[in-house]
Each structure stands twice: as structure tokens, then as C-alpha cells.
């Protein structure tokens, strides 16, 4: 039996080949009676590894993987905790170097969604989808629109097969057209295009929420945001509207970084006439974080706040939209605190994307009061007020803002849905015992 490290060190394409060699196209990992159990014996070392390590795995209720039948793309759906409702979170289209990255991304992000949804006060649990861009066909830049649509339609069919324990949405690498393709094959999705009756792209409301968190940090420190200088890592779906909102709020200068040289002219043109600087950098270049500015907003990928980068950070405020900004949840927050850096946890301030789409089935209206309450100051749980409360408790108690936010989120996340109870776990337990699912995971000859 292969060692878990050997399986996890495989590239996603090699892992898909390994599944095929065993006649497997669909598999699962489900927590049963306290043990993370794999659907197939040869995969159990992966489950044992993550449970023994107890780092990113946190009694996740289940995670599911498939080789999409026609495109061949490796796709996953991760469900952390569903006490409040179905596991909910976007599906990420990303380039994973190995299966350790693939699994860890799903595990971390789904747990982060549990915390985000709980802090937002919405009746959803935590879930996340991942797709390995470097498998199969349809997700690379040169892919045809038809082949890309097929990938997302297959993901929609995958969602339907999970019977609602996970509800997907838009995330990094996925756009509104992709969500339309998913919606064509399942009802278990959000961020549906506006022309189909949905809420559309969640990026703009997400940026508004991050700004409110940043405003809370400035106010708490007695600093003025007007005339300040802010650095934004990532001028993408959220970074671009955030930059616009920062200028509208009166920020004097914004310095941004991005890895996409093809978009450089368009980004600069969008802020022509403003005191704006764009730096095109390599994927591994985090130098934007080290600028001597008033605030830094990480809006690209996670894990960028770590033992290597934190000692080089000069700003006193870090508040951004990127998920899982801390590489080590149980240590990097303390490093920030020791350096006197005011850190607003991502899941505390970037909730508005999921808030924007969580109730889209109830209808869409402009200036929706259900959304605006999160951005105002009259509701105790609004982003500004909750951020201020977390900052105040951190100052009084000596705990980190990350610790306090997680404590609040953990408590809330274990509250059962007042109407449906802890339904998600019931769906998972039924699903893996059903004849329908057993037929899917049964070994069979699979074409490469």
C-alpha cells in the first residue's frame, strides 16, 4: 500500500491516473464514528494522514472527488460543518502542484467558510469546491469556450449527485458564465447570473465589506483614512473595486500589484488621473506587503502572512479579501500581534460575497436592506461593529484578533439550523450508504 506522502506528492494528473488504474472515477472521505474513512482502501492512508496530523482536517463531515467523465478534470467538493445549513462556498479553479495542495486548499477553505458564514449570521455551514486546472481539458487559457463550459456543467452534475450537502458559488478562477454552466445542471448553486434571476458577481459587495473592516481598523487606531496610502495585493475581481472604493473614500494613494501583465494597461487606465501605481510581479513576489504604507490589503491568494513575510511588514494595518491569509493559523497571528500590526481576519471582513448570494432565491432588489445592514453601523453584527468589538477585546484580553474571531465563529457554527436542524450530516451519512453512490464509487474500467 503506498505511503500517504507518496499519494499526496503526486501531481493532480498523476493522481487521476492512479485512480483510473484502480478503476475509480469517484471517491470520498467521510468522518464516521470519529474516524475519517476513505471510500477505497488504497486511499485510506490519505485519510489517516490528515486525521493524525490534525492541522487542516478538523472533523470535516466529508469531502468528495471525481474525475469529470468527459473533460477529465479532477474536481472536489469539501464540506466542513453543516449545523447551520448546507456547506456553502465557491468553487476554485486553480493550478495545484501536487495533491497535498489540492486537499489542503479544500480543507482550509471549507473550514474558513464555516467561520465566515457563522460570523455573518447566515444559516449556512462551510463548504468549498476545487478544480485542478492542470488536469484534463477545458481550463487552460487556450481552451475553447465550449470545452470550458463542459467542465463546469460536469461540476454541476457532480453537485446534484451530492444531494445538497454542499452549495457552490463563484470563486477564484471562476466567472459568472461558469456559474451559468453549473446552474444548467444543478439547483445547488448560487452566484447565478442576473439575467437568470440570480445575484451575479459577488466581487463588488466583497470589496465594500473589506473597506468597512479597514475603516474600523483606522478608527480604532485613531488614524485618518482620508489622505492615507494603501497597498493592494491583487488587482483582480475584488482588488479592482476595492481600489475604486478606496479612492472614493478619500485615500490619497494606492499602490497595487498583480501577476497578469496582459491586464496592466487596462488596470492603469481604470485609475487614470488618480495617484495610482501598479507593479507587475511574479507569482511568488510578496514585496507589496513590505511597503511603508498606512494599510495593506491582501486580495490575491492565501498563506502570504507567515514567518518569512511578517518580519518584513512595515504597515500597522492588514485587512484584505484573500482567504486563509495566515499560513499557520496557530502562530502567525501571534507574530503579527508581537509586531504591533492590527490584523483583521479575512473571514471577519470578506463576508459580503457569500451574503450577497445566500438569499438570492428570495429575490433581488437594489440597495437591499438585508445587505446594507452588514455594511452599516446600526446592527451589532455589522462588519464595522463586529471588527471594532474584536479589536477592543484583543486589546483588553491580550488575545489575537484571529483567536477572538475564531472563538465567536466556532460557537455560532455549532448552532443548529432552527428549521432544518443539522441536516447536512444526515445527507452525507445517507448518501455514502445509498445504492446510487455505491454504484458511482464501484471500481470499473475507465478510459484514459
Amino acid at each position: 500500500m503506498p505511503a500517504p506522502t507518496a499519494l499526496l506528492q503526486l501531481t493532480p494528473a498523476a493522481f487521476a491516473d492512479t485512480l483510473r488504474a484502480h478503476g475509480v472515477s469517484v471517491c470520498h472521505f467521510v468522518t464516521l464514528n470519529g474516524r475519517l474513512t476513505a471510500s477505497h482502501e488504497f486511499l485510506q492512508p490519505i485519510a489517516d494522514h490528515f486525521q493524525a496530523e490534525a492541522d487542516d482536517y478538523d472533523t470535516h463531515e466529508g469531502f468528495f472527488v471525481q474525475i469529470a467523465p468527459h473533460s477529465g478534470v479532477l474536481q472536489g467538493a469539501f464540506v466542513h460543518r453543516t449545523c447551520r445549513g448546507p456547506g456553502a462556498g465557491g468553487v476554485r479553479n486553480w493550478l495545484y502542484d501536487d495533491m497535498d495542495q489540492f486537499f489542503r486548499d479544500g480543507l482550509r477553505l471549507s473550514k474558513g467558510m464555516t467561520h465566515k458564514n457563522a460570523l455573518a449570521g447566515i444559516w449556512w455551514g462551510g463548504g468549498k469546491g476545487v478544480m485542478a486546472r492542470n488536469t484534463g481539458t477545458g481550463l487552460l487559457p487556450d481552451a475553447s469556450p465550449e470545452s470550458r463550459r463542459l467542465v463546469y456543467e460536469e461540476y454541476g452534475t457532480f453537485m446534484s449527485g451530492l444531494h445538497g450537502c454542499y452549495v457552490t458559488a463563484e470563486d477564484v478562477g471562476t466567472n459568472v458564465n461558469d456559474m451559468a454552466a453549473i446552474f444548467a445542471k444543478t439547483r445547488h448553486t448560487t452566484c447565478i447570473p442576473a439575467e437568470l434571476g440570480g445575484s451575479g458577481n459577488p466581487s463588488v459587495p466583497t470589496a465594500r465589506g473589506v473597506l468597512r473592516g479597514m475603516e474600523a481598523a483606522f478608527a480604532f487606531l485613531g488614524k485618518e483614512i482620508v489622505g492615507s496610502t494603501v497597498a493592494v495585493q491583487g488587482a483582480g475581481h475584488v482588488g479592482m473595486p476595492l481600489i475604486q472604493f478606496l479612492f472614493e473614500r478619500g485615500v490619497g494613494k494606492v499602490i497595487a500589484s498583480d501577476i497578469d501583465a496582459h491586464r496592466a494597461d487596462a488596470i492603469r487606465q481604470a485609475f487614470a488621473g488618480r495617484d495610482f501605481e501598479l507593479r507587475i510581479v511574479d507569482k511568488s513576489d510578496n514585496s507589496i506587503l513590505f511597503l511603508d504604507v498606512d494599510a495593506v490589503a491582501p486580495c490575491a491568494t492565501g498563506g502570504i502572512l507567515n514567518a518569512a513575510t511578517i518580519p518584513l511588514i512595515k504597515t500597522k494595518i492588514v485587512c484584505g479579501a484573500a482567504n486563509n491569509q495566515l499560513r499557520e493559523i496557530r502562530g502567525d497571528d501571534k507574530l503579527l500581534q508581537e509586531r504591533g500590526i492590527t490584523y483583521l481576519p479575512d473571514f471577519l471582513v470578506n463576508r459580503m460575497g457569500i451574503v450577497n448570494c445566500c438569499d438570492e432565491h428570495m429575490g433581488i432588489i437594489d440597495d437591499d436592506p438585508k445587505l446594507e445592514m452588514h455594511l452599516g453601523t446600526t446592527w451589532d453584527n455589522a462588519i464595522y461593529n463586529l471588527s471594532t468589538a474584536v479589536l477592543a477585546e484583543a486589546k483588553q484580553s491580550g488575545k489575537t484578533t484571529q483567536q477572538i474571531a475564531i472563538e465567536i465563529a466556532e460557537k455560532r457554527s455549532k448552532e443548529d439550523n432552527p428549521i432544518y436542524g443539522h441536516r447536512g450530516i444526515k445527507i452525507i451519512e445517507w448518501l455514502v450508504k445509498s445504492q446510487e453512490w455505491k454504484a458511482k464509487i464501484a471500481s470499473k474500467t475507465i478510459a484514459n
Side-chain angles (χ1 to χ4, degrees):
M1 184 175 291
T5 51
L7 287 169
L8 293 174
Q9 288 173 0
L10 293 175
T11 66
F15 183 76
D17 287 342
T18 299
L19 292 181
R20 292 188 186 98
H22 284 82
V24 173
S25 61
V26 178
C27 60
H28 69 250
F29 301 82
V30 175
T31 302
L32 298 171
N33 300 317
R35 187 190 184 204
L36 183 61
T37 304
S39 54
H40 301 81
E41 184 179 358
F42 76 96
L43 296 174
Q44 187 59 40
I46 294 176
D48 293 341
H49 173 78
F50 281 117
Q51 185 161 27
E53 180 192 62
D55 186 4
D56 297 308
Y57 169 76
D58 179 38
T59 320
H60 284 65
E61 294 175 1
F63 42 107
F64 309 85
V65 177
Q66 79 159 1
I67 303 172
H70 299 292
S71 67
V73 171
L74 193 68
Q75 301 174 325
F78 292 72
V79 179
H80 176 231
R81 185 177 297 150
T82 61
C83 300
R84 296 182 68 90
V91 55
R92 175 164 295 195
N93 163 8
W94 196 248
L95 185 68
Y96 294 104
D97 294 331
D98 55 40
M99 287 306 297
D100 186 70
Q101 290 183 3
F102 180 93
F103 281 114
R104 288 189 190 281
D105 215 24
L107 291 169
R108 289 178 181 177
L109 291 167
S110 57
K111 182 177 179 179
M113 290 306 301
T114 291
H115 292 154
K116 183 187 303 187
N117 293 338
L119 284 185
I122 58 180
W123 290 106
W124 273 1
K128 205 71 179 183
V130 293
M131 297 188 194
R133 186 183 303 165
N134 47 335
T135 58
T137 57
L139 292 182
L140 293 176
D142 60 351
S144 69
E146 294 77 16
S147 62
R148 183 181 177 96
R149 180 176 178 86
L150 175 62
V151 174
Y152 283 91
E153 286 182 346
E154 291 185 304
Y155 197 75
T157 301
F158 186 34
M159 292 301 92
S160 291
L162 297 181
H163 289 265
C165 65
Y166 166 58
V167 177
T168 195
E170 188 174 333
D171 199 78
V172 175
T174 301
N175 59 48
V176 70
N177 291 329
D178 301 326
M179 300 315 301
I182 291 175
F183 184 51
K185 297 296 181 178
T186 190
R187 65 182 301 276
H188 302 302
T189 186
T190 59
C191 298
I192 297 163
E195 60 268 25
L196 298 178
S199 59
N201 191 326
S203 301
V204 171
T206 300
R208 291 182 67 195
V210 172
L211 176 61
R212 293 300 283 152
M214 190 179 293
E215 288 175 322
F218 269 90
F220 188 79
L221 295 177
K223 299 178 67 173
E224 180 57 63
I225 195 169
V226 174
S228 64
T229 299
V230 177
V232 178
Q233 183 183 40
H237 290 305
V238 177
M240 287 293 283
L242 177 60
I243 294 167
Q244 181 62 39
F245 291 140
L246 287 169
F247 281 130
E248 292 175 2
R249 183 62 179 81
V251 166
K253 181 175 182 177
V254 175
I255 305 170
S257 68
D258 201 84
I259 62 173
D260 190 351
H262 295 96
R263 295 179 54 242
D265 290 343
I267 294 171
R268 292 188 177 100
Q269 184 59 39
F271 304 109
R274 304 278 196 175
D275 194 349
F276 174 74
E277 178 184 338
L278 175 67
R279 301 180 180 184
I280 298 298
V281 298
D282 293 332
K283 183 179 178 180
S284 60
D285 187 336
N286 289 312
S287 59
I288 190 78
L289 303 175
F290 313 142
L291 298 181
D292 190 2
V293 294
D294 297 294
V296 168
C299 295
T301 57
I304 43 81
L305 301 177
N306 53 62
T309 62
I310 292 172
L312 302 177
I313 295 176
K314 300 181 180 67
T315 188
K316 292 302 179 184
I317 296 173
V318 175
C319 175
N323 289 314
N324 294 351
Q325 293 168 28
L326 302 180
R327 181 170 297 171
E328 299 296 336
I329 295 175
R330 300 184 185 91
D332 291 336
D333 57 334
K334 292 184 176 64
L335 294 179
L336 288 165
Q337 183 187 54
E338 290 168 0
R339 298 218 50 238
I341 297 169
T342 297
Y343 172 62
L344 273 298
D346 44 270
F347 59 92
L348 174 60
V349 302
N350 69 0
R351 71 169 76 158
M352 289 309 298
I354 200 75
V355 169
N356 183 63
C357 65
C358 72
D359 290 325
E360 66 182 7
H361 62 284
M362 299 299 292
I364 308 297
I365 60 175
D366 289 338
D367 302 319
D368 192 335
K370 289 285 288 182
L371 299 181
E372 296 302 320
M373 65 188 291
H374 290 266
L375 299 166
T377 55
T378 58
W379 183 35
D380 287 346
N381 200 52
I383 293 172
Y384 185 96
N385 292 341
L386 187 57
S387 296
T388 300
V390 167
L391 290 168
E393 185 174 342
K395 182 177 181 180
Q396 187 275 328
S397 68
K399 295 180 180 179
T400 69
T401 52
Q402 178 84 1
Q403 289 173 315
I404 294 165
I406 286 180
E407 287 174 2
I408 298 171
E410 278 287 302
K411 181 179 179 181
R412 292 183 184 181
S413 73
K414 295 175 182 177
E415 298 171 351
D416 282 351
N417 187 291
I419 298 176
Y420 298 105
H422 193 175
R423 184 174 174 82
I425 189 66
K426 294 183 176 66
I427 293 173
I428 291 173
E429 290 173 350
W430 165 83
L431 176 65
V432 297
K433 295 176 183 177
S434 69
Q435 291 304 312
E436 170 192 338
W437 189 258
K438 288 178 179 179
K440 288 182 179 180
I441 66 173
S443 296
K444 57 184 76 72
T445 301
I446 303 171
N448 288 312

